[in-house]
Amino acid sequence: MACNTLKNRNYKSVVTAYNNTTQAYTAAGTQLSILGNTALDAGCSVDAQSGGFKINHSGTYRFTFDVTSVPAAAGIQTLQMYNNTIAMPCASVADTTTASGTITQHIETTVYLPVCCNNQPVITLNIAGVAGDVTHICANATRLA
């Protein structure tokens, strides 16, 4: 993949995206859309897309997500990161919610991701446990090495 002048291959690869559009989610689980606005987009190793981050080059990455939501019921709300369709074992968080109360959750992980021509990982975030509305999400992907 060739880089243009805005995505210079000599820059550290960092993408920060946020979405303030309300997203309804179900108790069974919903993949969140991170792409509303891009706050920072440098380097060529990672791209933000609606469902998450597409990884273009092998390396060690740090991913962080901050999610503000208003659950419709009391219960346990979980955030889980996925590498394609596989749940990432060190990237899960669960918090107790109250009905119509606002909750902000933070999740992060660092992981090595191999990339080859047949496999460009996409890192996504799912929310589950109770139904409600996400009112804000801020997501960051940084290639560390």
Side-chain angles (χ1 to χ4, degrees):
M1 175 178 178
C3 295
N4 65 32
T5 57
L6 298 176
K7 298 274 285 179
N8 188 310
R9 66 185 169 101
N10 296 313
Y11 291 168
K12 176 75 126 179
S13 291
V14 180
V15 177
T16 301
Y18 64 95
N19 190 344
N20 292 327
T21 302
T22 299
Q23 301 177 60
Y25 61 94
T26 66
T30 302
Q31 180 178 309
L32 295 178
S33 174
I34 66 165
L35 197 55
N37 297 286
T38 304
L40 176 62
D41 188 0
C44 296
S45 294
V46 61
D47 290 317
Q49 54 188 38
S50 179
F53 295 107
K54 185 179 94 176
I55 307 305
N56 301 318
H57 302 106
S58 298
T60 302
Y61 290 84
R62 174 171 285 293
F63 299 96
T64 64
F65 295 88
D66 290 294
V67 178
T68 302
S69 62
V70 181
I76 304 295
Q77 179 167 285
T78 62
L79 297 179
Q80 173 70 59
M81 280 188 230
Y82 284 81
N83 177 353
N84 294 327
T85 59
I86 300 170
M88 298 170 70
C90 290
S92 179
V93 66
D95 291 293
T96 303
T97 65
T98 59
S100 300
T102 300
I103 182 172
T104 299
Q105 293 176 283
H106 174 81
I107 184 171
E108 66 180 82
T109 193
T110 302
V111 62
Y112 176 80
L113 295 171
V115 174
C116 68
C117 56
N118 300 2
N119 177 32
Q120 285 186 293
V122 176
I123 305 302
T124 59
L125 183 68
N126 283 28
I127 188 169
V130 296
D133 292 314
V134 168
T135 57
H136 172 78
I137 183 169
C138 185
N140 177 274
T142 303
R143 183 170 187 244
L144 302 173

